[in-house]
């Protein structure tokens, strides 16, 4: 058994032992009627930085917290079926999505499907297995400027034909060095001016 399996299993046993009636009776809609789209980065804990408990909000996570087709699909389900009224798009400082481009990722995957190592010069291929050219055909939604990517994602959601103007959208950047959420007024005002 791997360490991760044991750690998760032990943690779940302890968690389940404290699972009370309030948690057992939570419904599907988010109690606070908002959703957060943010990055999968392990340094971000939306429950902590946004003061959430189980059942409070829908959390949509992916690499970079980007407004991908799948993230928008989840948002549409959240509002259409479960009554979400607001969306917070939260990118963050020092994001791994700033460290590569579509071309770099495509080249790395073409070389090998194994994990790379990070060096001062960038990513270094150490794998010996065969790669695949398929990575060159994926838009990885990398980030070269946090504010610009946040504004782009808010705009993409706001102008999506299946997202109604009644959904308020806010744009923030989480600072991984301070734990602070910093509003990007250009993103929030763009989202709500277009509605």
């Amino acid at each position: 058994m791997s360490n991760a399996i044991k750690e998760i299993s032990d943690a779940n046993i302890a968690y389940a032992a404290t699972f009370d009636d309030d948690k057992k009776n939570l419904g599907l809609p988010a109690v606070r009627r908002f959703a957060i789209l943010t990055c999968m980065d392990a340094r971000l804990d939306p429950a902590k930085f946004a003061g959430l408990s189980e059942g409070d909000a829908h959390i949509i996570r992916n690499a970079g917290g980007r407004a991908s087709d799948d993230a928008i699909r989840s948002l549409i389900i959240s509002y259409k079926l479960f009554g979400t009224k607001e969306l917070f798009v939260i990118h963050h400082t020092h994001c791994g999505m700033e460290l590569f481009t579509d071309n770099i990722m495509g080249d790395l995957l073409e070389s090998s499907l194994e994990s790379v190592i990070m060096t001062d010069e960038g990513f270094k291929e150490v794998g010996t297995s065969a790669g695949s050219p398929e990575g060159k055909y994926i838009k990885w939604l990398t980030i070269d400027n946090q504010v610009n990517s946040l504004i782009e994602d808010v705009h993409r959601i706001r102008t999506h034909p299946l997202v109604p103007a009644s959904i308020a959208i806010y744009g923030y950047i989480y600072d991984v060095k301070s734990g602070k959420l910093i509003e990007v007024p250009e993103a929030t005002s763009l989202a709500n001016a277009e509605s």
Side-chain angles (χ1 to χ4, degrees), residues 62-139:
N62 65 32
R66 300 305 309 266
S68 64
D69 290 343
D70 192 60
I72 293 173
R73 176 191 69 91
S74 296
L75 170 64
I76 292 166
I77 291 167
S78 179
Y79 90 77
K80 183 67 175 175
L81 300 181
F82 303 115
T84 297
K85 305 286 185 210
E86 299 173 282
L87 171 65
F88 292 82
V89 180
I90 302 174
H91 287 203
H92 68 93
T93 59
H94 307 287
C95 184
M97 296 299 287
E98 296 172 293
L99 302 177
F100 64 97
T101 64
D102 284 5
N103 288 339
I104 289 171
M105 182 60 110
D107 290 346
L108 289 168
L109 289 166
E110 189 170 37
S111 177
S112 167
L113 298 181
E114 295 177 47
S115 295
V116 298
I117 60 170
M118 182 73 164
T119 69
D120 290 339
E121 292 80 40
F123 296 102
K124 181 180 178 192
E125 185 61 67
V126 294
T128 57
S129 69
S132 171
E134 296 301 314
K136 293 192 178 281
Y137 305 110
I138 295 174
K139 183 151 177 53

Side-chain angles (χ1 to χ4, degrees), residues 6-176:
K6 180 164 179 17
E7 290 168 3
I8 290 171
S9 178
D10 291 349
N12 182 254
I13 290 167
Y15 178 75
T18 66
F19 209 76
D20 60 19
D21 285 340
D22 289 340
K23 291 177 186 171
K24 291 176 191 174
N25 295 320
L26 287 171
L28 282 174
V31 172
R32 294 173 60 185
R33 297 287 194 245
F34 67 80
I36 293 174
L37 168 59
T38 197
C39 187
M40 66 185 196
D41 191 305
R43 297 171 292 177
L44 279 66
D45 187 342
K48 291 181 181 169
F49 73 62
L52 304 175
S53 296
E54 289 98 332
D56 278 352
H58 290 153
I59 308 297
I60 304 161
R61 295 182 79 154
N62 65 32
R66 300 305 309 266
S68 64
D69 290 343
D70 192 60
I72 293 173
R73 176 191 69 91
S74 296
L75 170 64
I76 292 166
I77 291 167
S78 179
Y79 90 77
K80 183 67 175 175
L81 300 181
F82 303 115
T84 297
K85 305 286 185 210
E86 299 173 282
L87 171 65
F88 292 82
V89 180
I90 302 174
H91 287 203
H92 68 93
T93 59
H94 307 287
C95 184
M97 296 299 287
E98 296 172 293
L99 302 177
F100 64 97
T101 64
D102 284 5
N103 288 339
I104 289 171
M105 182 60 110
D107 290 346
L108 289 168
L109 289 166
E110 189 170 37
S111 177
S112 167
L113 298 181
E114 295 177 47
S115 295
V116 298
I117 60 170
M118 182 73 164
T119 69
D120 290 339
E121 292 80 40
F123 296 102
K124 181 180 178 192
E125 185 61 67
V126 294
T128 57
S129 69
S132 171
E134 296 301 314
K136 293 192 178 281
Y137 305 110
I138 295 174
K139 183 151 177 53
W140 294 101
L141 300 174
T142 59
I143 296 171
D144 63 2
N145 178 295
Q146 280 295 336
V147 170
N148 289 346
S149 68
L150 179 67
I151 290 170
E152 178 183 302
D153 284 347
V154 166
H155 176 74
R156 186 160 192 257
I157 295 166
R158 172 76 303 141
T159 59
H160 194 282
L162 298 178
V163 177
S166 61
I167 301 295
I169 305 172
Y170 310 100
Y172 283 83
I173 293 178
Y174 174 81
D175 183 347
V176 299

